[in-house]
Amino acid sequence: MHTRPLPPNWLRTDALVALALAALGCGMSWLIIAAGMSHFSQSWGLQCLGTVGSSLPLVWRRRFPLVAGMAQAVLYNVATFFTGIDVYTSQVVLFLGFYSIGAWSAKRGQALLVRILICLLMAVSFVVASFASLEKVTRAEAISATQMAAFIVINSIVNIAFFTGAWLFGDQAWDQATERAELEDADASIKQLQAQLVESAVEEERLRIARELHDVVAHHVTAMSVQAAAARRLIERDPDAATASLKQVESSARASVKDLRSMV
């Protein structure tokens, strides 16, 4: 499949989804700050800026999945380190962007490369963020090496599962779309073949009728020609025989008309 057709009203749908997630993220950031559970020291306004910025590429996730997915990953990391971001809805946003690369990009080789780059970018970001978080924790209270290792392993497993799921679901969506496209093409080919067969059958029937009409007309015209010639020769010598021949001509003409009507 060279391209995947976009659904009707795709731009409006994706814009509404992006707007809803951005609004939800801003609301969640406010609640988290109000609850004293924020992971970031930045103000709510800056966190909203990061949340909205990372959600914006979702508007074009189906039309330009490679660009949107890469831009989203970059904006997500920028927001994480500089402006702050809602850590909950941003995961949904990141999942949709990564998933859309596999589900909507017809450039499969580039889609593979971009996803690998995003995974490397997120891995580096994860390592940096993990050590930064551990440094903050160790300043507040001492933690053992086992606790540190467990923290890193848990977060690694979560991230691997996250991106693996988005990767597999995206490829599955593309494969299903490809299968549907192949079935639609096969259905169109079958319908075209049926139309050709019907047209061929109609043409053959027309030829058969034309041949039969030709045979009927030729038979009756030949008979009338013979009978008319006989009447011409007998009209002076044997008027009665000539009259009989003309009657046969008349009878043949009527029979010919009757046969033509019945065939038509």
Side-chain angles (χ1 to χ4, degrees):
M1 184 169 62
H2 299 294
T3 183
R4 183 177 174 183
L6 294 171
N9 301 320
W10 65 271
L11 183 59
R12 182 179 64 182
T13 300
D14 289 341
L16 289 174
V17 170
L19 179 62
L21 287 172
L24 180 61
C26 291
M28 290 292 293
S29 294
W30 184 84
L31 290 173
I32 291 172
I33 292 174
M37 300 169 56
S38 179
H39 296 274
F40 305 99
S41 59
Q42 290 86 346
S43 66
W44 178 70
L46 283 177
Q47 292 189 33
C48 286
L49 179 63
T51 299
V52 172
S54 63
S55 301
L56 186 61
L58 284 181
V59 177
W60 299 280
R61 70 181 184 88
R62 284 188 263 207
R63 182 65 182 86
F64 304 105
L66 297 178
V67 176
M70 196 66 196
Q72 191 174 47
V74 171
L75 290 171
Y76 174 87
N77 282 282
V78 169
T80 299
F81 289 102
F82 296 100
T83 66
I85 194 172
D86 171 45
V87 296
Y88 298 106
T89 56
S90 62
Q91 302 306 306
V92 178
V93 171
L94 192 62
F95 184 93
L96 280 176
F98 195 80
Y99 159 86
S100 298
I101 295 174
W104 289 97
S105 177
K107 301 174 182 178
R108 304 310 292 173
Q110 294 183 21
L112 175 63
L113 178 61
V114 169
R115 284 183 289 183
I116 291 174
L117 289 175
I118 291 175
C119 287
L120 292 175
L121 173 63
M122 299 306 296
V124 172
S125 174
F126 166 73
V127 171
V128 173
S130 295
F131 279 102
S133 298
L134 287 173
E135 185 179 358
K136 290 180 182 179
V137 172
T138 52
R139 287 177 182 176
E141 57 180 307
I143 61 173
S144 65
T146 302
Q147 290 174 315
M148 182 182 299
F151 174 82
I152 295 175
V153 169
I154 291 172
N155 282 277
S156 298
I157 292 174
V158 170
N159 279 273
I160 291 172
F162 178 88
F163 286 101
T164 300
W167 193 313
L168 294 177
F169 289 145
D171 284 347
Q172 184 180 33
W174 175 265
D175 292 338
Q176 290 175 348
T178 301
E179 291 176 1
R180 285 196 300 270
E182 291 174 352
L183 290 175
E184 290 173 357
D185 290 341
D187 182 64
S189 298
I190 291 172
K191 289 180 179 178
Q192 184 179 6
L193 180 60
Q194 288 176 338
Q196 292 175 350
L197 291 174
V198 170
E199 184 179 355
S200 177
V202 170
E203 187 65 26
E204 289 180 0
E205 183 65 13
R206 287 174 178 172
L207 291 173
R208 184 189 66 80
I209 293 173
R211 285 193 295 266
E212 290 186 3
L213 285 173
H214 174 270
D215 294 341
V216 170
V217 171
H219 170 73
H220 287 291
V221 169
T222 300
M224 288 187 293
S225 176
V226 172
Q227 292 161 358
R232 181 178 58 80
R233 293 188 180 93
L234 295 173
I235 194 168
E236 293 181 356
R237 292 184 293 124
D238 190 353
D240 292 337
T243 301
S245 294
L246 291 174
K247 288 181 178 179
Q248 290 179 355
V249 171
E250 180 183 3
S251 177
S252 295
R254 289 177 178 175
S256 177
V257 172
K258 183 180 180 181
D259 289 342
L260 289 175
R261 285 179 176 174
S262 64
M263 290 186 65
V264 173

